[in-house]
C-alpha cells in the first residue's frame, strides 16, 4: 500500500509539473524587439507584446548578434517615428528570473528603468 501511495504521489507531482512548464512556453508569439540605450555604446534588447489592458516585456537571454543589429538598425532608421520597434514572431520558454533594463541617465550613467522576465528563445524571426 505504501508503494502504491508513493507511486501515485510521484505521478501526480509529475503531471502538475508538466502543466506548469507548458504554461510558460510561448509559441509563434507576435511581438516587437526593442532597444534600450543604457549609455553611449551600451544597448539592451527586450521583447514586448501588447495585449488588451496590459503590456508585457521579456529579456531574451540568448538573442543572436544578427537580430540585435537588425533591431538597432531598425530603431535608428525609424527614430523619427513613434514606432521604432522591430516586428518579430518568436517562440521560447519563460524563465523564473528577470533582468533589469537600464536607460541612460544624467551624465550618461545607466539607471534602472524596469525589470523584464527572462525568456530563452527557441526561434525568432522578423515579421
Amino acid at each position: 500500500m505504501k508503494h502504491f501511495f508513493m507511486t501515485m504521489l510521484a505521478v501526480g507531482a509529475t503531471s502538475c509539473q508538466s502543466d506548469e512548464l507548458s504554461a510558460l512556453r510561448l509559441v509563434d508569439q507576435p511581438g516587437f524587439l526593442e532597444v534600450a540605450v543604457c549609455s553611449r555604446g551600451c544597448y539592451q534588447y527586450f521583447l514586448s507584446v501588447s495585449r488588451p489592458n496590459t503590456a508585457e516585456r521579456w529579456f531574451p537571454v540568448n538573442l543572436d548578434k544578427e537580430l540585435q543589429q537588425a533591431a538597432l538598425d531598425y530603431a535608428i532608421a525609424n527614430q523619427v517615428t513613434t514606432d521604432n520597434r522591430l516586428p518579430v514572431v518568436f517562440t521560447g520558454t519563460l524563465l523564473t528570473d528577470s533582468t533589469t533594463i537600464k536607460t541612460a541617465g544624467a551624465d550618461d550613467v545607466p539607471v534602472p528603468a524596469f525589470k523584464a522576465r527572462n525568456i530563452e528563445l527557441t526561434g525568432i524571426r522578423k515579421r
Side-chain angles (χ1 to χ4, degrees), residues 2-21:
K2 184 178 178 182
H3 180 22
F4 173 77
F5 177 75
M6 294 303 285
T7 303
M8 293 308 291
L9 183 61
V11 169
T14 304
S15 66
C16 289
Q17 184 179 13
S18 65
D19 288 345
E20 289 175 23
L21 290 176

Side-chain angles (χ1 to χ4, degrees), residues 3-70:
H3 180 22
F4 173 77
F5 177 75
M6 294 303 285
T7 303
M8 293 308 291
L9 183 61
V11 169
T14 304
S15 66
C16 289
Q17 184 179 13
S18 65
D19 288 345
E20 289 175 23
L21 290 176
S22 66
L24 299 175
R25 182 141 172 86
L26 300 168
V27 178
D28 291 335
Q29 175 70 56
F32 299 94
L33 185 55
E34 298 190 46
V35 181
V37 179
C38 36
S39 73
R40 241 180 310 246
C42 173
Y43 306 101
Q44 286 181 295
Y45 302 86
F46 62 95
L47 294 165
S48 66
V49 176
S50 297
R51 301 176 195 259
N53 303 322
T54 187
E56 298 183 59
R57 297 174 179 158
W58 300 298
F59 179 78
V61 296
N62 59 335
L63 185 64
D64 66 40
K65 299 284 184 197
E66 183 179 318
L67 269 171
Q68 288 178 14
Q69 189 62 52

Side-chain angles (χ1 to χ4, degrees), residues 35 37 43 70-86:
V35 181
V37 179
Y43 306 101
L72 186 57
D73 292 344
Y74 190 86
I76 291 169
N78 294 291
Q79 65 185 341
V80 294
T81 68
T82 57
D83 196 8
N84 55 5
R85 308 170 305 161
L86 179 66

